[in-house]
Amino acid sequence: MTIKVFGHKSPDTDATFSPIIWAWYLTEVKGTPATPALLGEPNTEAAFLLRHWGFEKPEIIPGVIEGEKVVIVDTNNPAELPDGINKADILAIVDHHKLVGGLETKGPIEITIRPLACTATIMHDLIGADLAKAPKAIRGAMLSCILSDTLEFRSPTTTEHDKAVAQALAADLGVAIPDLAAAMFEAKSDVSAFSDAALLRMDSKEYTVDGTELRVSVLETTAPKLILDRKASLMAAMPGVATEDGADQVLLFVVDILNEEATLLVPNDLVKRIAEASFGCTVEGDTVVLPGIMSRKKQIIPALKV
């Protein structure tokens, strides 16, 4: 049976390309047939990179079949995975997020979770010398994941190892990091074709904080004005998205990549209370700017208080 490799729902660049990288490794190096899959449409940056490196978009799967062999990458959170994930035969997990718990396996498995900025960095290390066998597109995908997850080394999640791996890959590929990153961020910033509800779910994860169910959404952009000009309609869409997704509240952080700050939309008193309790700020309108806030994983989620 061919192994399916997939990441989290609302796939960003790392969750789109880590399955491609690992499926290549399992198939071509380990001799174990594997295929990449997605749990939703890739975001605009990932869609651009699929074209840029010449990949076909992996199959978008609605769920998993009982007993199906799978490898999970870029998450270990059951809330970000298909319903019934514990009925699948999970063979391995490769991730860089905190251990959440809740996954159940059929037997002992290989789990690699390391405190690095990007799953692709971990895969680089695990693949080791066999990476020399990889086609240019696989190495390019690996570089792209690191640049995306580190926001071209601006994110506080960036480690020196992530940076060194990216620089080595870029040198090997003959790629100028600033040029590739600029093209990626431009693609990521082009969200004009998306509805408000789609934007709220584009890069979004579910968390429970002090008994409150939150959908924490982040939009990373070099053109924050394009999103903030839509703040009224985005806030109007939040209650419907929250109800449909079983959340109490949607939090939307618009991350300005170049100015290294986030703007949180504040549609009601609950979000105002969360913002002030979590970030020590004073909210005086329907938005609040949070200087230096770039990372949901390292700066937003650990700080959240209700």
Side-chain angles (χ1 to χ4, degrees), residues 16-17 20 36 38 42 46-47 49-51 53-59:
T16 298
F17 286 96
I20 292 173
L38 298 175
L49 288 164
L50 285 169
R51 297 189 299 270
W53 294 113
F55 290 105
E56 290 190 10
K57 182 174 69 176
E59 177 190 8

Side-chain angles (χ1 to χ4, degrees), residues 145-169:
C145 289
I146 299 171
L147 294 181
S148 178
D149 268 12
T150 66
L151 297 176
E152 196 188 2
F153 316 133
R154 294 176 176 87
S155 172
T157 62
T158 308
T159 70
E160 287 302 316
H161 186 55
D162 291 294
K163 190 171 183 178
V165 168
Q167 289 172 335
L169 286 167

Side-chain angles (χ1 to χ4, degrees), residues 1 37 43 162 293:
M1 182 182 294
N43 69 11
D162 291 294
I293 298 296

Side-chain angles (χ1 to χ4, degrees), residues 13-83:
T13 293
D14 202 19
T16 298
F17 286 96
S18 285
I20 292 173
I21 295 165
W22 204 245
W24 168 83
Y25 174 64
L26 290 176
T27 301
E28 301 299 332
V29 177
K30 306 298 284 186
T32 304
T35 185
L38 298 175
L39 301 184
E41 285 290 342
N43 69 11
T44 52
E45 179 185 79
F48 159 74
L49 288 164
L50 285 169
R51 297 189 299 270
H52 180 81
W53 294 113
F55 290 105
E56 290 190 10
K57 182 174 69 176
E59 177 190 8
I60 297 175
I61 59 173
V64 292
I65 301 168
E66 185 171 352
E68 186 171 26
K69 295 183 182 298
V70 304
V71 171
I72 297 168
V73 300
D74 197 31
T75 186
N76 67 86
N77 187 348
E80 298 173 2
L81 293 164
D83 292 339

Side-chain angles (χ1 to χ4, degrees), residues 143-266:
L143 169 62
S144 301
C145 289
I146 299 171
L147 294 181
S148 178
D149 268 12
T150 66
L151 297 176
E152 196 188 2
F153 316 133
R154 294 176 176 87
S155 172
T157 62
T158 308
T159 70
E160 287 302 316
H161 186 55
D162 291 294
K163 190 171 183 178
V165 168
Q167 289 172 335
L169 286 167
D172 177 54
L173 293 164
V175 170
I177 284 177
D179 293 345
L180 176 59
M184 289 168 52
F185 299 155
E186 181 180 356
K188 181 182 290 190
S189 301
D190 182 12
V191 295
S192 57
F194 291 87
S195 69
D196 294 319
L199 280 183
L200 293 173
R201 294 185 173 107
M202 181 173 288
D203 186 357
S204 185
K205 299 190 177 184
E206 301 168 22
Y207 293 92
T208 302
V209 180
D210 296 334
T212 300
E213 300 291 334
L214 299 175
R215 175 170 282 287
V216 184
S217 303
V218 172
L219 291 174
E220 298 164 340
T221 178
T222 55
K225 185 177 185 299
L226 296 177
I227 299 170
L228 294 174
D229 281 349
R230 295 171 59 173
K231 68 179 180 180
S233 61
L234 284 165
M235 290 190 292
M238 287 179 178
V241 169
T243 298
E244 289 176 17
D245 297 354
D248 296 306
Q249 180 65 53
V250 177
L251 302 181
L252 177 60
F253 295 81
V254 181
V255 173
D256 185 332
I257 296 171
L258 300 181
N259 288 320
E260 300 187 20
E261 63 186 21
T263 299
L264 171 63
L265 273 59
V266 185

